[in-house]
Amino acid sequence: MKHYYQPEIETMPVDQLKALQSERLVKQVKYVYDNVAFYRDRMDAAGVKPEDIHGVEDLHKLPFITKDDLRDQYPYGLLARPLSECVRIQSTSGTTGRRVVAFYTQNDIDLWEECCARAIVAAGGSNEDVCHVCYGYGLFTGGPGLNGGSHKVGCLTLPMSSGNTERQLQFMTDLGSTILCCTPSYAAYLAESVEEHGLRDQIKLKAGIFGAEAWTEEMRHDIEQSLGIKAYDIYGLTEISGPGVSFECEEQQGMHINEDHFIAEIIDPKTGEVLPEGERGELVFTCITKEAFPLMRYRTRDICILSRKKCSCGRTHIRMTKPLGRSDDMMVVKGVNVFPSQIETVLLNEGYPANYELIVDRVGHSDTIDVKVEMSQEMFDDLKTTTAEREKKLIASLKSMLGITVGVKLVAPKTIARSEGKAVRVIDKRNLYQS
Ligand code: DLL
């Protein structure tokens, strides 16, 4: 069997890469115009014809597409290939509104799995590895994507899916898993369980590939320390393919975007204006190789920064920061912009585990925000400092980060429900978006 190896395309000189993107973009624009009535109508309305797009420099002429468009076109409105050529769907985990369904031809699956294979290789993976995949399998893209990538690399693949922690630990120790793929919150939980069962000496993990939700550098540090691994970030979204749109290399300084398949732009979320490299804004993707569900200028709502600074790993593909927030999950509490990641940073800096809930409510016309957070076992056992004293200190640290006073409730270790997939940490009871 031929195993995946790092293709030259990942280290291609930037001018050649841009030429390749331009060539693919021109073909793709014509392809979607000819095959998807929705795009044809949108482009006609914007007065743009496929002949107007000569390369990446003309990308800004195309109209954006948003999640609302995807919902409106559910289920088949954006399909660019006959159903007879599609072999798979995946779907978003969204809890509100219509789900988004993405379609794949066999070629789309192959390219997606190759993107995931690149991520595994970047994390040091090879056909010598035992790759333990406990992202969910099914409609969620995490399990199927990393599973396919692991096959392509030639790793022994453990399709564990999420849940059943005892069984995860048993396979991990018995089969000698070396690479762990799951959400960072589940990795933190597994790390806790490894410790609890005294299994640290029996695990052989060397790397973790964690993504699908926001996590901080502090959380990375904690997971790396407790499992004795190097933890790599991986990013992606169902609409664009799934995990592997971008991934970290050993430098851990941002995620390389698979630019031979996806063109990235950063825009001002308010005006839609394209921002220069290095500025913070909303990430937009254009798929240039996809067949069944080729989104053009899709607004991800993820806020980040792009950088083309040379990376010592040799890859030339542009890097994106971790999402620094969402243009839509930002909460406005007492008139102040609050990102859950800011609160997590404070908690982890103060030595709390990443097990917390944020409860936002409205009493009369006034917003309240309460942080419920677990104490570490050490804090819980330490009788020298009272819980009230700890709460007071945390309230002060949160106030200096956010500029507003939040309520804090410290609870005993292991009392907040653990998540096997993406963690639900924000409970907004204000129902601000209901009509
Ligand atoms: O979460 C795909 C995925 C699976 C990525 C496994 C990585 C690993 P969706 O369920 O469609 O797809 O959610 C996509 O999740 O727009 C981001 O807001 C968020 N997200 C994904 N990866 C990261 C990450 C998968 N590494 C949405 N850091 C995206 C922060 C992430 N947020």
Side-chain angles (χ1 to χ4, degrees):
M1 180 187 167
K2 183 173 171 287
H3 292 303
Y4 170 85
Y5 57 95
Q6 184 181 321
E8 279 167 15
I9 216 151
E10 284 186 85
T11 54
M12 191 180 230
V14 174
D15 52 341
Q16 284 178 33
L17 185 62
K18 291 226 161 138
L20 177 73
Q21 285 186 324
S22 288
E23 186 194 319
R24 290 183 170 175
L25 176 68
V26 169
K27 276 196 200 134
Q28 190 76 338
V29 171
K30 181 162 171 22
Y31 170 71
V32 295
Y33 189 86
D34 290 346
N35 290 285
V36 186
F38 170 86
Y39 280 117
R40 204 161 42 244
D41 295 347
R42 276 286 170 93
M43 283 174 61
D44 287 348
V48 197
K49 293 278 170 220
E51 308 78 81
D52 300 330
I53 308 296
H54 303 286
V56 178
E57 66 284 2
D58 294 324
L59 187 57
H60 67 97
K61 296 178 182 165
L62 295 173
F64 292 117
I65 165 165
T66 64
K67 197 155 193 153
D68 286 340
D69 294 324
L70 265 51
R71 292 199 173 113
D72 291 346
Q73 296 304 314
Y74 172 89
Y76 293 132
L78 285 163
L79 202 55
R81 274 287 211 261
L83 271 189
S84 57
E85 290 181 35
C86 297
V87 296
R88 173 97 66 83
I89 66 147
Q90 302 286 162
S91 179
T92 55
S93 48
T95 48
T96 52
R98 284 174 170 173
R99 278 179 169 269
V100 170
V101 173
F103 298 82
Y104 303 73
T105 62
Q106 185 56 50
N107 194 46
D108 291 334
I109 300 255
D110 288 342
L111 297 182
W112 171 30
E113 290 179 347
E114 180 169 318
C115 289
C116 291
R118 291 180 189 177
I120 294 172
V121 170
S126 75
N127 58 352
E128 304 290 329
D129 280 294
V130 178
C131 186
H132 189 114
V133 184
C134 40
Y135 284 112
Y137 281 63
L139 288 172
F140 179 53
T141 52
L146 270 306
N147 191 93
S150 171
H151 276 220
K152 275 219 168 16
V153 177
C155 303
L156 174 66
T157 309
L158 274 50
M160 302 298 300
S161 198
S162 54
N164 200 336
T165 302
E166 299 276 323
R167 190 176 60 192
Q168 304 280 2
L169 296 182
Q170 190 189 345
F171 275 77
M172 195 179 282
T173 48
D174 291 354
L175 292 165
S177 306
T178 53
I179 299 179
L180 176 65
C181 305
C182 59
T183 54
S185 46
Y186 195 49
Y189 179 46
L190 282 173
E192 237 175 49
S193 308
V194 164
E195 195 136 315
E196 213 172 274
H197 290 77
L199 294 174
R200 176 72 199 266
D201 292 344
Q202 291 176 52
I203 59 167
K204 298 209 173 66
L205 289 177
K206 63 175 191 188
I209 304 179
F210 307 134
E213 63 183 3
W215 54 310
T216 53
E217 283 306 319
E218 293 83 353
M219 192 164 169
R220 183 201 313 258
H221 178 259
D222 286 355
I223 297 173
E224 287 190 332
Q225 291 296 308
S226 53
L227 287 176
I229 61 172
K230 193 154 171 170
Y232 296 84
D233 204 349
I234 183 168
Y235 167 89
L237 57 167
T238 316
E239 299 91 312
I240 300 301
S241 64
V245 170
S246 67
F247 58 85
E248 271 184 344
C249 62
E250 69 267 21
E251 289 304 310
Q252 296 178 316
Q253 294 288 324
M255 295 179 271
H256 289 282
I257 295 173
N258 279 308
E259 282 192 283
D260 48 330
H261 300 299
F262 315 110
I263 304 178
E265 298 169 276
I266 291 288
I267 62 159
D268 178 327
K270 288 203 192 84
T271 63
E273 182 205 346
V274 179
L275 299 177
E277 185 200 315
E279 292 218 5
R280 178 186 173 125
E282 182 178 343
L283 184 60
V284 172
F285 282 116
T286 297
C287 303
I288 47 177
T289 49
K290 279 179 70 182
E291 295 178 343
F293 199 67
L295 298 190
M296 311 298 286
R297 298 200 88 203
Y298 179 64
R299 294 185 59 160
T300 63
R301 305 194 221 186
D302 290 318
I303 302 291
C304 61
I305 301 170
L306 296 179
S307 161
R308 205 175 276 287
K309 269 203 209 108
K310 206 165 174 233
C311 183
S312 61
C313 76
R315 288 176 185 79
T316 48
H317 291 196
I318 203 162
R319 277 176 288 170
M320 58 179 267
T321 56
K322 281 174 176 301
L324 305 166
R326 301 258 310 156
S327 61
D328 57 354
D329 87 347
M330 183 185 75
M331 301 181 290
V332 182
V333 183
K334 299 180 186 177
V336 171
N337 295 346
V338 176
F339 285 100
S341 56
Q342 296 174 299
I343 295 179
E344 184 172 313
T345 300
V346 172
L347 296 180
L348 291 166
N349 278 342
E350 299 271 325
Y352 290 89
N355 299 314
Y356 63 92
E357 279 173 3
L358 308 181
I359 302 129
V360 187
D361 209 345
R362 183 161 285 181
V363 181
H365 291 299
S366 184
D367 292 332
T368 60
I369 174 162
D370 289 293
V371 183
K372 186 171 154 191
V373 59
E374 276 182 13
M375 286 184 267
S376 65
Q377 194 62 48
E378 229 179 5
M379 293 174 183
F380 193 63
D381 294 339
D382 168 20
L383 301 176
K384 280 188 259 124
T385 316
T386 65
T387 302
E389 283 165 347
R390 286 187 197 285
E391 286 175 346
K392 203 170 152 202
K393 179 158 183 285
L394 196 50
I395 290 169
S397 306
L398 286 165
K399 178 152 192 191
S400 93
M401 168 69 101
L402 305 172
I404 52 171
T405 301
V406 305
V408 166
K409 182 167 172 48
L410 296 181
V411 295
K414 306 198 173 49
T415 47
I416 292 180
R418 297 298 191 265
S419 142
E420 291 163 354
K422 298 191 193 214
V424 181
R425 303 201 196 278
V426 181
I427 303 159
D428 194 335
K429 299 183 171 169
R430 296 175 298 174
N431 290 330
L432 295 180
Y433 303 105
Q434 278 187 354
S435 49

